[in-house]
C-alpha cells in the first residue's frame, strides 16, 4: 500500500518541482516589477486600431492587467475585470488590459480548451463577444512590455498610483470562477 501511495505522489511532486524551476527561470530572465517601481512606458496597438501610450492615461489610479485570450483563468476573470472598470471608473481608476502572447507563443496543447487563439484578430473577437469596457492592447509581436512588467501567469494585475509608482501586483483575487 505504501508503495502505491508513493508512486501516485511522485509524478505530482515531479511536476510541481518542474513548474517551480520554470517559474524561477522566468523570474530571473524577466523579473516581476517591484513594489515602488515606476510604471514602464508602453506604446501598443489597441483593438480600437490606435496606438496607446502609458502617459495618455491620467487617472489617479491605473490598473494594468495582463490577460490572454486562450487562458481559461483569464476567461474566468473577464467579468470581474469589466466590473472593476465599471465600478471604479468614477473613483478615478482606469483599467487597461494587455495581451502578452501572440499566436506563435502558445503551443497547440494550450489551445485545446478554448475558442480563440492569442492573435490580434482573435482579441477583437473576444473583446466584442465579452463586451470589454476597457482598452485592450496587443504586446504579442515582441512581448517587450510584458518582459518589463514581468507577469508570470494571466491574469496578473499591476496597480499604480497617480505618480505611476507600483502599489500592488499579483492576483485580482483568490476566486478563480466566473463573476
Amino acid at each position: 500500500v505504501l508503495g502505491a501511495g508513493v508512486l501516485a505522489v511522485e509524478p505530482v511532486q515531479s511536476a510541481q518541482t518542474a513548474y517551480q524551476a520554470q517559474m524561477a527561470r522566468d523570474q530571473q530572465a524577466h523579473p516581476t516589477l517591484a513594489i515602488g517601481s515606476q510604471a514602464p512606458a508602453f506604446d501598443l496597438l489597441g483593438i480600437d486600431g490606435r496606438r496607446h501610450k502609458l502617459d495618455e492615461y491620467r487617472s489617479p489610479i491605473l490598473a494594468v492587467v495582463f490577460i490572454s485570450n486562450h487562458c481559461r483563468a483569464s476567461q474566468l476573470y473577464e467579468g470581474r475585470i469589466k466590473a472593476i472598470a465599471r465600478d471604479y471608473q468614477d473613483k478615478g481608476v482606469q483599467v487597461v488590459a494587455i495581451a502578452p502572447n501572440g499566436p506563435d507563443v502558445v503551443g497547440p496543447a494550450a489551445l485545446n480548451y478554448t475558442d480563440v487563439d492569442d492573435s490580434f484578430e482573435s482579441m477583437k473577437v473576444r473583446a466584442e463577444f465579452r463586451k470589454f469596457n476597457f482598452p485592450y492592447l496587443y504586446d504579442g509581436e515582441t512581448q517587450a512590455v510584458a518582459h518589463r512588467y514581468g507577469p508570470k501567469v494571466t491574469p496578473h494585475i499591476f496597480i499604480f498610483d497617480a505618480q505611476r509608482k507600483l502599489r500592488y501586483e499579483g492576483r485580482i483575487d483568490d476566486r478563480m470562477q466566473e463573476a
Side-chain angles (χ1 to χ4, degrees):
V1 174
L2 180 60
V6 171
L7 290 175
V9 171
E10 286 177 8
V12 171
Q13 288 175 338
S14 177
Q16 288 173 339
T17 301
Y19 176 76
Q20 290 168 342
Q22 180 62 46
M23 291 299 281
R25 286 190 299 274
D26 288 350
Q27 182 64 19
Q28 186 172 18
H30 306 290
T32 301
L33 199 61
I35 298 298
S37 296
Q38 197 67 37
F42 57 78
D43 180 356
L44 295 170
L45 181 63
I47 59 166
D48 59 359
R50 69 176 190 84
R51 307 287 309 175
H52 292 252
K53 296 180 181 183
L54 173 68
D55 59 4
E56 76 184 61
Y57 297 104
R58 303 197 183 280
S59 62
I61 299 172
L62 178 66
V64 177
V65 59
F66 287 83
I67 60 175
S68 296
N69 282 344
H70 82 277
C71 175
R72 186 67 185 129
S74 285
Q75 292 171 1
L76 290 171
Y77 275 90
E78 290 169 345
R80 220 156 315 149
I81 296 166
K82 287 174 24 182
I84 291 168
R86 179 192 64 236
D87 296 347
Y88 290 91
Q89 180 179 4
D90 291 341
K91 296 176 176 132
V93 176
Q94 170 70 55
V95 173
V96 177
I98 298 176
N101 296 320
D104 298 330
V105 175
V106 179
L111 298 174
N112 65 1
Y113 53 88
T114 185
D115 54 349
V116 290
D117 64 16
D118 286 322
S119 69
F120 183 70
E121 290 304 314
S122 289
M123 286 174 58
K124 293 178 186 179
V125 169
R126 186 83 191 161
E128 175 63 28
F129 173 70
R130 293 294 299 204
K131 307 287 186 237
F132 285 179
N133 57 350
F134 48 82
Y136 192 22
L137 316 180
Y138 184 60
D139 188 33
E141 291 297 320
T142 66
Q143 297 183 306
V145 174
H147 289 167
R148 289 194 299 271
Y149 281 74
K152 296 300 172 260
V153 296
T154 56
H156 191 136
I157 194 166
F158 295 81
I159 300 177
F160 298 92
D161 65 16
Q163 290 74 45
R164 296 304 177 246
K165 297 255 188 235
L166 183 63
R167 297 301 173 200
Y168 174 83
E169 65 82 13
R171 293 178 178 201
I172 294 171
D173 61 32
D174 62 355
R175 296 176 295 139
M176 195 162 73
Q177 59 193 13
E178 182 69 44

